[in-house]
Amino acid sequence: MSFFADIPQIAYEGPESGNEFAYRHYNPDEVIAGKPMAEHLRFAVAYWHSFAWEGGDPFGGRTFERPWFGGEMADAKVKADAAFDLFRILGQPFFCFHDADVRPEAESYAENCARLDEITDYFGEKMETVGTRLLWGTANLFSHRRFMSGAATNPDPEVFAYAAATIKANMDATHKLGGENYVLWGGREGYETLLNTDLSREADQMARMLSLVVEYKHKIGFKGTILVEPKPQEPTKHQYDFDVATCYGFLKRYGLEDEVKLNIEQGHAILAGHSFEHEVALAASLGVFGSIDMNRNDYQSGWDTDQFPNSVPEVALVYYEILKAGGFTTGGTNFDAKLRRQSLDAEDLVLAHVGAMDLCARGFKAALALREDGGLETARAARYAGWDDDLGRAMMASDLGEIAERVRRDDLRPEPRSGRQERLENLVNRVTDQI
Ligand code: XUL
Ligand code: CO
């Protein structure tokens, strides 16, 4: 009997529907702005939170009871059966996984590879039957104690070697399954104390690892995108991939900015003191926007609580920036989100995703409406219009002396003009309220 027993496949029933087990806004096949909604949003389920996480917190262990919580390969297959059942129920979103989520940890590297091969072959068959695709694969280089002082940035080259070999195995698995991206989140790439840390060596090591990944991608003909996921803290006190700006500086320093893009997570943006839309807009302006992890933090706790999104205005502004950047290419909307530890039931897991997908669809439609309205862009263009005129062009081409001469000659006396923030906020609310 399936873990999800009699939970029906979720269908679109429209905004009037009062059925919990239905989409009210997400209509995957509906064509809007030139393509089906499913292809705009490219939702993905995160294997680690939805199937591997046991409901623990710093004060207590497992709260969930799942039939696959054993340490054998047979359990991994029961877990896969449940996972693909969820994908079917939700209408075949993409999925994402780390090696450690999908197979039990073995004693040796060779055995870990054999297990990863076996389970990903099993995935391959199921992906065909269910019609689910892989958004990205990744290696867990942060949970095992061998990685406590970092993976690429470890002071011990043996750990670097083990991490590199593990990445290779995961890139092979991702490639085999037709994955559309490969992600590197620098879980332990950072430090606890500067007293024992050599910053410049660690930066070189991290860049070396990333270069190896890029080189290998081309060698095996992986057509997907290599993505780095910024995060400022947790688990280490200071994470090297702090935020978009920091990651871009790193990529640029090592000449990797044309090869690597970013997977931006809402909760991580907030931890770094930014808004999600800021991080997305900045990445887009630097040419490194790749994909998103759509999971919010709790605004009081100040930690990475990985909650399912539940605010339409928040997601609308993010999709607005994504649409402005041309939409997703290989990227998508991954729910790197977990249930609260009291949400024990199979229904909770299904409905968390249903709610999040619906909410994102609504936010996406709001973003489209804002694009169609065009008011924000008109206002922005008007605000900078002077830069397209003679004076603006001259500022880009003159030296300081010439500029000073011009100011004197024309007796320039600049008058401040309103930034119109409240009017723009009203515009956003007016347009998005109608969705
Ligand atoms: C951790 C996090 C990771 C990455 C993949 O905060 O977001 O789950 O998304 O390793
Ligand atoms: Co993430």
Side-chain angles (χ1 to χ4, degrees):
M1 159 105 114
S2 151
F3 175 68
F4 295 103
D6 13 330
I7 299 179
Q9 190 151 350
I10 311 295
Y12 172 74
E13 290 184 5
E16 305 308 321
S17 172
N19 177 6
E20 268 195 300
F21 290 91
Y23 295 121
R24 299 186 308 122
H25 301 280
Y26 181 55
N27 188 6
D29 299 326
E30 184 185 328
V31 175
I32 45 174
K35 55 184 175 186
M37 228 187 271
E39 283 174 39
H40 281 291
L41 289 157
R42 295 167 61 84
F43 291 128
V45 174
Y47 213 95
W48 50 103
H49 288 314
S50 293
F51 296 98
W53 189 60
E54 299 183 345
D57 73 6
F59 300 92
R62 176 189 294 181
T63 56
F64 300 158
E65 298 290 351
R66 306 289 195 233
W68 53 84
F69 282 172
E72 305 301 323
M73 278 305 282
D75 300 306
K77 289 188 180 164
V78 175
K79 193 198 285 188
D81 292 344
F84 281 82
D85 215 17
L86 177 68
F87 308 155
R88 179 189 57 77
I89 289 169
L90 295 174
Q92 311 104 38
F94 289 79
F95 72 112
C96 304
F97 70 88
H98 307 77
D99 48 359
D101 314 328
V102 301
R103 53 104 185 103
E105 185 74 26
E107 289 298 315
S108 69
Y109 172 70
E111 181 55 23
N112 268 342
C113 289
R115 291 180 182 187
L116 185 63
D117 255 0
E118 183 181 337
I119 198 71
T120 47
D121 281 346
Y122 193 65
F123 282 4
E125 291 161 26
K126 290 188 155 289
M127 285 168 73
E128 266 191 33
T129 336
V130 176
T132 289
R133 289 183 285 162
L134 177 63
L135 187 64
W136 43 267
T138 186
N140 179 325
L141 302 176
F142 43 89
S143 294
H144 195 282
R145 63 191 290 276
R146 71 171 68 87
F147 299 121
M148 71 176 191
S149 313
T153 62
N154 202 289
D156 179 355
E158 266 196 28
V159 179
F160 182 100
Y162 197 98
T166 303
I167 291 175
K168 178 203 173 282
N170 279 278
M171 288 179 75
D172 288 341
T174 303
H175 187 40
K176 175 175 79 181
L177 296 176
E180 305 205 8
N181 306 271
Y182 184 83
V183 164
L184 297 122
W185 168 56
R188 305 258 173 208
E189 315 296 15
Y191 61 79
E192 298 299 337
T193 173
L194 261 182
L195 298 177
N196 64 10
T197 303
D198 183 335
L199 283 178
S200 36
R201 265 187 198 276
E202 294 203 2
D204 286 351
Q205 289 172 216
M206 212 161 90
R208 174 69 185 145
M209 186 69 89
L210 200 48
S211 307
L212 288 171
V213 167
V214 166
E215 216 175 87
Y216 191 63
K217 160 191 158 151
H218 292 302
K219 182 166 173 207
I220 62 177
F222 177 63
K223 295 281 172 272
T225 310
I226 303 295
L227 299 171
V228 163
E229 183 171 327
K231 183 175 184 181
Q233 298 101 24
E234 200 215 55
T236 69
K237 172 183 158 62
H238 178 93
Q239 299 270 137
Y240 292 134
D241 292 330
F242 194 93
D243 60 1
V244 167
T246 311
C247 286
Y248 182 75
F250 179 85
L251 294 176
K252 192 90 184 149
R253 175 179 173 200
Y254 290 99
L256 291 163
E257 73 275 15
D258 295 332
E259 293 282 1
V260 177
K261 294 190 172 4
L262 302 180
N263 182 41
I264 303 169
E265 175 164 327
Q266 178 179 23
H268 299 179
I270 293 166
L271 284 180
H274 304 301
S275 69
F276 196 11
E277 59 270 25
H278 163 86
E279 289 290 81
V280 169
L282 181 60
S285 80
L286 295 168
V288 290
F289 172 69
S291 196
I292 59 172
D293 276 4
M294 181 63 104
N295 40 282
R296 69 176 183 90
N297 283 0
D298 180 289
Y299 290 103
Q300 279 85 52
S301 79
W303 209 236
D304 191 14
T305 54
D306 285 332
Q307 293 177 239
F308 284 90
N310 59 9
S311 158
V312 175
E314 269 180 17
V315 310
L317 292 181
V318 170
Y319 283 123
Y320 183 81
E321 295 300 332
I322 293 174
L323 280 169
K324 223 168 101 181
F328 291 122
T329 52
T330 62
T333 305
N334 173 41
F335 297 115
D336 186 357
K338 56 177 172 267
L339 295 172
R340 299 306 87 192
R341 71 195 293 267
Q342 299 176 52
S343 304
L344 303 179
D345 302 341
E347 283 87 348
D348 293 323
L349 189 52
V350 173
L351 292 176
H353 286 93
V354 171
M357 289 161 76
D358 234 13
L359 178 112
C360 286
R362 194 164 170 208
F364 179 77
K365 285 184 197 166
L368 265 183
L370 272 177
R371 293 284 293 162
E372 275 156 25
D373 174 84
L376 287 180
E377 296 318 308
T378 309
R380 202 188 321 254
R383 188 157 184 247
Y384 291 91
W387 287 92
D388 297 327
D389 286 347
D390 176 51
L391 179 66
R393 280 196 297 272
M395 290 307 99
M396 292 303 192
S398 316
D399 65 23
L400 273 187
E402 289 163 341
I403 292 175
E405 187 42 45
R406 188 171 179 132
V407 171
R408 187 191 304 272
R409 185 194 71 207
D410 296 347
D411 189 17
L412 291 189
R413 301 180 190 204
E415 278 299 323
R417 281 182 300 150
S418 172
R420 300 186 167 181
Q421 178 168 338
E422 295 78 5
R423 291 171 69 173
L424 297 175
E425 288 166 349
N426 293 351
L427 184 153
V428 169
N429 288 336
R430 209 164 49 239
V431 175
T432 59
D433 273 359
Q434 288 157 18
I435 304 300

